[in-house]
Amino acid sequence: MAKPARVSGMVALSLKQWPTQLLSDRRARRTIPREDEMAKFKGNDGHLNSSTLVNRRDLLRATAAFGAAVSVGGTAIAQPAIARTAVTQPDTAPPAGGDILIRGGHVLSMDPDIGDLAVGDVHISNGAIVAVGEGLDAPGAIVMDASDMIVLPGFVDTHSHLWNAFLRGSIRGDDPVRGYFPTTNRAAPLTTPDDAHASVRFGVLEALLSGTTCINNFSHNTRSLKHAEAEIEAARSLGIRSRFSHGPGGRDGTLDFASVEEVISNWGDADPLVTLGVNLRLPAADILQSGGDAETFVAEVRFARERGLPVSLHYGNSAHGLVDLMERHDLLGPDILMIHTQGFTLEERELMVSRDVQFSMSPAIEIPYSTVRNGYIQFAELEDLGASLGLSIDASSAVATADFFTVMRALQWSHKQRGDIDRMSLEPRRIVEIATLGGAAALGMGDRIGSLTAGKRADIQLVRKTDINMAPVLDPYFSLVYSGQPANVDTVIVDGHVLVSGGQPVMVDTADVVATASEAALRLHDELEAIIAKG
């Protein structure tokens, strides 16, 4: 297994300027959690139950132990870890980024003018990429040894419902009683701002550990201003780049204009890592399919556009007629992100691409959940038209992971299972491009992130090449798509700040994030089960 990125340099930095764990590459061995450590939290049926929780300290200890193990085929096995001194600052912004020189990595720049460098360097200063090339000189910079690493832009998740990430344990696929939709519909009105805060931190941390550096938080349970600000603060506290897409207070609600205005006032220019948008409930299917008008929806899109807020929309089997409605009211444009590329007609695809509409595909969830209802993922058709395409997790609670490598593989799977297209036309390099630069462009951030280009912000991940599931790496794109896992992500940098080092978060204690989210989730699970029991 490759060593974590090593650091050297001539500039002495304090703990607040640089994570101490970067100064150590000693390795320790994680241990399998003791059975008796979790037994105290189990009910008579052997399952975790919030009523059996002893106290927060015990929960922290147990979840930390469980987090240190990986289940393979139902068997827990110990995994190597990086010995580190934690810098635990869970609710503060990351430290200011200094000069960093990433040295000797296999650089995938995603910039056609730079290309790929088998042994290349990336110089970062004040959060921006200064130069990408071979044998760079950066006097005074901290040097990160990236030999045996793939250096590439961070993944961009164009659509994720972070408010329900903590419900993973309560959701049972598409089960009619405990599936994603019935569970989240019951949970939505019960979710407090504190719950939302815990869930977003939980979801964002898992995303960061998967190499994701930017995320569009499609919050379709924005029940109050407090809920909105809890979600914004939660993402901000972990240092990820995010768009908060303010939504209605539940799937059947409408946009609260006053709340959106307040969020703009409080957060519009408060943090360069936080941008704002909206997500909207679509008009009723009968209105769309009859060609009728939808005054509320049209007014909401215009409200957002007047304030410069991009609009995220779900498409699905009940949305036929939406494209025609939006065209009639001159609502299609580059500020529209159409999520789930399934069920479009040829005319709709051509029209949306001509209007520069952006698209988000969530193949890891679309394959098992919605293909049977909405049809296959129309990647090939949109690719042929030159559409702007990004990838997304959708709901880590439903797909049961925030693993962006699985999302890339799922796009490959969905493409190759079709018999009516050129199955060999989708190369791994293109998938990585969609996961990085494509996602950035879909969120209107392609001029700032998505490639390793001088002048862009430094959102970067380093992936180990010598881990057993990756080696030997001959084609780094192939290895990332076919073999990559979150466990291979060594270092994650956002805006020049190192947030993950040696595969471990720098700014927060994972056990605390997990414990807080689990405590809220177990309480809510009991409430949901009580509702189901009442019928």
Side-chain angles (χ1 to χ4, degrees):
M1 184 178 289
K3 291 182 179 180
R6 295 182 295 275
V7 179
S8 63
M10 300 183 67
V11 178
L13 298 177
S14 69
L15 284 178
K16 290 187 177 180
Q17 293 172 307
W18 193 258
T20 57
Q21 73 194 71
L22 289 178
L23 304 178
S24 171
D25 61 8
R26 293 176 300 165
R27 293 191 174 273
R29 181 68 58 179
R30 288 175 178 165
T31 58
I32 299 173
R34 291 169 47 192
E35 184 64 25
D36 62 350
E37 196 62 42
M38 290 306 294
K40 66 187 74 173
F41 303 117
K42 295 180 179 180
N44 294 330
D45 60 357
H47 296 292
L48 288 174
N49 188 303
S50 60
S51 64
T52 63
L53 289 175
V54 177
N55 58 48
R56 183 177 178 83
R57 183 174 300 171
D58 284 338
L59 180 61
L60 281 170
R61 231 184 3 252
T63 51
F66 264 95
V70 173
S71 178
V72 178
T75 303
I77 60 173
Q79 295 291 312
I82 309 304
R84 63 191 178 94
T85 303
V87 180
T88 305
Q89 300 170 329
D91 289 307
T92 60
D99 270 28
I100 303 171
L101 182 62
I102 301 173
R103 172 76 79 192
H106 195 147
V107 176
L108 311 181
S109 73
M110 311 316 299
D111 182 328
D113 294 330
I114 298 172
D116 303 335
L117 304 173
V119 181
D121 308 333
V122 181
H123 182 199
I124 302 167
S125 182
N126 294 320
I129 297 171
V130 175
V132 180
E134 298 174 340
L136 297 181
D137 187 28
I142 295 293
V143 177
M144 298 180 64
D145 181 1
S147 56
D148 294 329
M149 304 271 187
I150 302 170
V151 182
L152 73 156
F155 297 132
V156 178
D157 183 352
T158 56
H159 149 240
S160 194
H161 305 299
L162 294 172
W163 75 265
N164 63 47
F166 74 146
L167 295 176
R168 175 184 297 159
S170 297
I171 291 172
R172 296 291 179 265
D174 55 0
D175 181 88
V177 176
R178 293 178 175 83
Y180 175 75
F181 289 106
T183 298
T184 54
N185 284 339
R186 292 187 198 100
L190 304 176
T191 301
T192 68
D194 285 346
D195 293 337
H197 186 273
S199 183
V200 171
R201 279 170 61 84
F202 180 70
V204 165
L205 181 55
E206 187 180 12
L208 282 169
L209 294 171
S210 180
T212 298
T213 55
C214 179
I215 195 164
N216 175 22
N217 180 9
F218 188 118
S219 176
H220 53 2
N221 192 41
T222 317
R223 309 193 79 82
S224 69
L225 176 61
K226 288 184 178 180
H227 283 79
E229 298 204 320
E231 294 198 31
I232 293 170
E233 288 280 12
R236 183 171 175 265
S237 73
L238 270 74
I240 198 167
R241 191 180 303 276
S242 66
R243 174 196 289 176
F244 177 72
S245 290
H246 191 304
R251 289 192 178 92
D252 296 328
T254 57
L255 197 63
D256 183 339
F257 289 174
S259 177
V260 174
E261 294 277 24
E262 192 71 19
V263 169
I264 293 172
S265 176
N266 294 344
W267 294 98
D269 57 3
D271 188 332
L273 292 182
V274 177
T275 56
L276 302 175
V278 299
N279 73 82
L280 304 177
R281 181 173 67 96
L282 301 187
D286 58 339
I287 293 176
L288 291 175
Q289 293 167 15
S290 67
D293 282 324
E295 294 180 2
T296 298
F297 175 78
V298 171
E300 288 177 340
V301 176
R302 289 176 175 164
F303 169 86
R305 183 165 287 168
E306 289 167 1
R307 288 153 182 79
L309 302 178
V311 179
S312 297
L313 301 172
H314 279 145
Y315 195 86
N317 63 332
S318 62
H320 301 298
L322 174 65
V323 176
D324 179 64
L325 170 70
M326 296 185 71
E327 174 66 8
R328 291 200 313 270
H329 291 278
D330 194 27
L331 300 180
L332 296 174
D335 57 345
I336 302 297
L337 179 66
M338 199 69 74
I339 299 163
H340 302 311
T341 61
Q342 301 164 277
F344 300 128
T345 66
L346 172 61
E347 293 75 16
E348 288 173 335
R349 291 194 298 268
E350 291 178 338
L351 177 59
M352 286 189 289
V353 172
S354 73
R355 299 287 185 266
D356 200 21
V357 169
Q358 311 297 302
F359 297 91
S360 174
M361 303 172 288
S362 310
I365 208 164
E366 289 160 354
I367 291 173
Y369 274 83
S370 61
T371 297
V372 68
R373 296 191 306 270
N374 302 336
Y376 54 78
I377 299 167
Q378 296 181 358
F379 164 75
E381 291 81 357
L382 288 165
E383 180 82 339
D384 286 346
L385 292 172
S388 177
L389 299 167
L391 287 170
S392 58
I393 291 290
D394 192 332
S396 62
S397 59
V399 76
T401 180
D403 176 359
F404 222 78
F405 296 92
T406 291
V407 172
M408 292 195 294
R409 276 190 286 278
L411 179 60
Q412 183 82 293
W413 298 334
S414 70
H415 187 75
K416 285 188 175 294
Q417 71 183 3
R418 292 181 58 181
D420 58 339
I421 59 172
D422 179 4
R423 296 172 58 253
M424 303 305 293
S425 62
L426 180 55
E427 295 289 338
R429 187 193 187 285
R430 175 59 179 144
I431 297 176
V432 175
E433 182 180 41
I434 294 170
T436 55
L437 186 58
L443 295 184
M445 300 182 188
D447 60 337
R448 285 172 279 165
I449 60 171
S451 67
L452 305 185
T453 302
K456 287 192 176 183
R457 306 307 295 174
D459 290 8
I460 302 172
Q461 59 174 313
L462 278 64
V463 179
R464 291 186 296 273
K465 293 197 296 184
T466 54
D467 285 359
I468 191 156
N469 67 295
M470 289 284 285
V473 174
L474 304 178
D475 176 342
Y477 293 105
F478 186 95
S479 296
L480 287 168
V481 172
Y482 281 83
S483 303
Q485 300 175 10
N488 306 129
V489 176
D490 182 90
T491 304
V492 177
I493 301 171
V494 176
D495 212 50
H497 304 116
V498 178
L499 302 184
V500 175
S501 174
Q504 299 294 323
V506 170
M507 300 303 299
V508 295
D509 183 347
T510 299
D512 182 61
V513 172
V514 171
T516 303
S518 297
E519 197 169 5
L522 290 168
R523 187 206 78 242
L524 197 56
H525 179 76
D526 287 349
E527 295 181 41
L528 296 174
E529 288 299 306
I531 293 172
I532 293 171
K534 289 180 181 177

